[in-house]
Amino acid sequence: MYSDFDVSEAPMALSLFPTVPGAWPVFGHLSHLHTSPLSFLRGLSQYGPVAVVRFANRPVLAVTQPQLVRRLLTGDQHRTEKGGSVFDVMAETLGPDSLVTCPAAVHAQQRPLMQPAFSQESLSRYASVMRDAAVKVTGSWRPGQTVQMETAAHRIAALAVSRTLVSAPGAAQAAAVLAKALPDISRAMYWRSLAPGDWFAKLPVRVNRRYERQMAIARSAIDRVAVHYRSAGIDHEDVLSMVIAMCEGEPDPHQAVYNQTLTMLFGGIETTAAALTWTLRLIDQHQKVAARLQTELDEVLDGELPTHEDISRLTYTQQVITESLRLFPPAWVGTRMTTSPLEWEEEGISIPAGTELLFSPYALHRDAETFPRPDHFDPDRWAADRAGAAQRQGFFAFSAGRRKCIGDTFAMNEVTLALAIILSRWRLDHQSSNPSDQPIPRLILGPPATPVVVQPR
């Protein structure tokens, strides 16, 4: 995807940096990324601000310090492109022309077209839709019922995104289909990102078979939505309608609309569902936080459904969500490709063009200097009188710079409203909330199974 870059000097230059020990011949560090990816990524900082990791025989330079990653994503963003193993795999699934995967020049054209859909006026309008989605899903619960919370979270997110970002007839069905398919799709995307080339994708292993089966089902449903958008000629007043004209200028307009539809559904469902589920798990494990959160919900909502105006009043609720995103950011690993040399003089670091860079928000959020007691769930660290510049600069749940997630406020609002509706109306008896439960390695940091018995409050 980035063959125009001069990568001939990168491998030789990377030999000047410390190499993380434990690489296997041929496979490199893939065994660590398979068995214990989170602890492996977190441990990279002990080898310095940058260190070489091997994805099979491909050297990748891991950036381990929050201030350097902030510089990479902001001050030096014009010297990099979205690229590397993670985004190459995303481009294969979502297409190379979507808002998430497109090159910087295309992104500069697409984002302004989509930005009005995420204005304060639009977000205010979406709030009732988000609220109704959570009410509809939770309204189907019965006292004493065991609910798979991660599945319910996917349903809430799918309903919300299919009535806001992609709202044409058939979008709700397509979103529901994709919501069921996403765990298998995301898991396969992660494994494919670890292997150079396309050889792993061709192996007849279970993870690939599930990916192909689920993508085929999702592709059919989403394709019908794309056909409708191009043939109906109707402005649905959603994000996708805003970029249809731009898609018509693509070599394959139908494929371009399909890619944008898939990207919006993928981004709007998987990340939000993961954030909501992780937050509920953490609340259950910290009863003092749960009690304080419940008090705020009772005082602010007074038994009523939350509105857009209530979001800003639910300050502790948003602190809880932000702290959950710190500990378990859905986008837990990212890559970039340097398009020109990076010179970080103060650290004595010179990185050539054509270098693949790796960073992990999961690991960066556990930097002890930036976040004291990094493993401790402490929503108060985000209180206005405690959250300092270093802490805010070290937070990468939505990335940073020109490629920061366009839907960051959209997602925060949706999780806030869903959380408020669930916890103000239901008591959740978690059946498996062991802190030792491990996240499921996927492109999105997926929670483990989260069964709960629901009882009305």
Side-chain angles (χ1 to χ4, degrees):
M1 185 175 177
Y2 295 94
S3 57
D4 291 341
F5 301 164
D6 181 8
V7 300
S8 59
E9 297 181 2
M12 181 178 298
L14 293 191
S15 65
L16 302 175
F17 296 108
T19 298
V20 177
W24 291 13
V26 180
F27 295 102
H29 293 99
L30 294 187
S31 63
H32 302 284
L33 291 163
H34 170 71
T35 58
S36 54
L38 298 178
S39 60
F40 175 73
L41 291 170
R42 186 174 179 181
L44 295 179
S45 60
Q46 65 185 297
Y47 303 106
V50 294
V52 177
V53 176
R54 303 197 71 86
F55 284 20
N57 287 325
R58 185 176 73 249
V60 177
L61 193 62
V63 185
T64 67
Q65 291 186 353
Q67 64 270 27
L68 292 181
V69 174
R70 174 65 57 173
R71 180 172 175 179
L72 170 69
L73 298 178
T74 56
D76 286 332
Q77 58 187 322
H78 61 291
R79 301 182 186 279
T80 67
E81 270 283 10
K82 273 201 170 183
S85 54
V86 171
F87 286 105
D88 285 350
V89 170
M90 290 184 70
E92 291 174 8
T93 299
L94 305 178
D97 51 3
S98 73
L99 184 67
V100 173
T101 58
C102 66
V106 178
H107 184 268
Q109 299 172 357
Q110 289 192 16
R111 182 153 182 148
L113 293 175
M114 299 183 183
Q115 197 66 56
F118 296 94
S119 66
Q120 281 301 315
E121 181 182 355
S122 296
L123 292 171
S124 177
R125 188 173 68 251
Y126 298 156
S128 60
V129 178
M130 297 171 176
R131 180 190 63 199
D132 292 347
V135 168
K136 181 174 182 179
V137 173
T138 60
S140 67
W141 296 351
R142 296 294 175 262
Q145 177 183 354
T146 298
V147 173
Q148 287 298 140
M149 185 50 63
E150 72 279 11
T151 302
H154 272 91
R155 289 184 61 203
I156 292 171
L159 275 175
V161 76
S162 64
R163 295 176 180 178
T164 54
L165 306 186
V166 182
S167 60
Q173 179 186 3
V177 168
L178 186 61
K180 293 181 180 179
L182 279 173
D184 285 335
I185 293 172
S186 182
R187 188 176 297 114
M189 290 170 71
Y190 171 66
W191 294 124
R192 293 180 180 194
S193 72
L194 300 180
D198 59 357
W199 63 269
F200 180 83
K202 296 178 180 180
L203 294 179
V205 293
R206 185 182 184 186
V207 67
N208 283 332
R209 293 197 302 271
R210 286 189 170 186
Y211 171 87
E212 296 297 343
R213 181 168 61 251
Q214 296 291 6
M215 277 300 297
I217 296 171
R219 195 175 290 120
S220 176
I222 295 171
D223 193 66
R224 289 193 291 272
V225 177
V227 168
H228 173 86
Y229 268 89
R230 294 196 64 229
S231 61
I234 298 173
D235 184 355
H236 294 282
E237 298 184 351
D238 58 7
V239 182
L240 191 56
S241 295
M242 295 179 178
V243 297
I244 291 296
M246 181 189 66
C247 291
E248 292 301 319
E250 296 290 329
D252 186 344
H254 176 77
Q255 185 65 42
V257 175
Y258 169 89
N259 291 345
Q260 296 289 7
T261 305
L262 176 58
T263 297
M264 292 176 199
L265 294 178
F266 183 97
I269 296 173
E270 182 78 338
T271 56
T272 306
L276 177 58
T277 306
W278 278 121
T279 302
L280 288 167
R281 289 178 65 89
L282 287 165
I283 292 169
D284 177 67
Q285 295 164 15
H286 299 83
Q287 287 304 303
K288 289 184 178 180
V289 171
R292 184 173 164 189
L293 178 60
Q294 200 71 64
T295 298
E296 179 179 82
L297 294 175
D298 291 343
E299 291 178 350
V300 172
L301 302 182
D302 193 26
E304 300 295 326
L305 288 172
T307 65
H308 182 261
E309 289 69 28
D310 291 323
I311 294 174
S312 61
R313 300 168 61 204
L314 294 171
T315 54
Y316 188 68
T317 304
Q318 294 196 63
Q319 289 173 208
V320 169
I321 296 168
T322 303
E323 180 68 346
S324 172
L325 288 169
R326 182 186 70 83
L327 287 172
F328 297 103
W332 59 290
V333 65
T335 54
R336 290 288 191 275
M337 290 290 293
T338 58
T339 56
S340 58
L342 298 182
E343 300 293 341
W344 295 339
E345 294 86 358
E346 292 183 5
E347 293 78 13
I349 296 172
S350 179
I351 303 173
T355 301
E356 181 174 351
L357 302 175
L358 169 75
F359 60 94
S360 169
Y362 175 89
L364 295 165
H365 289 175
R366 283 166 169 74
D367 178 77
E369 291 187 9
T370 306
F371 301 101
R373 300 179 67 199
D375 293 308
H376 181 59
F377 180 63
D378 179 15
D380 277 331
R381 74 171 81 237
W382 298 104
D385 59 346
R386 282 187 55 186
Q391 183 168 292
R392 296 186 184 281
Q393 293 290 304
F395 184 73
F396 299 99
F398 298 107
S399 192
R402 64 188 180 193
R403 304 305 289 260
K404 184 180 181 182
C405 176
I406 194 173
D408 54 349
T409 305
F410 179 100
M412 282 294 296
N413 288 358
E414 184 178 347
V415 177
T416 301
L417 292 167
L419 194 67
I421 289 168
I422 292 170
L423 295 182
S424 64
R425 299 192 163 213
W426 295 92
R427 186 177 72 254
L428 309 183
D429 181 10
H430 286 246
Q431 304 299 293
S432 176
S433 57
N434 190 331
S436 65
D437 287 350
Q438 292 299 305
I440 300 172
R442 301 202 300 248
L443 200 68
I444 298 300
L445 192 59
T450 306
V452 300
V453 175
V454 298
Q455 297 287 357
R457 287 193 69 214

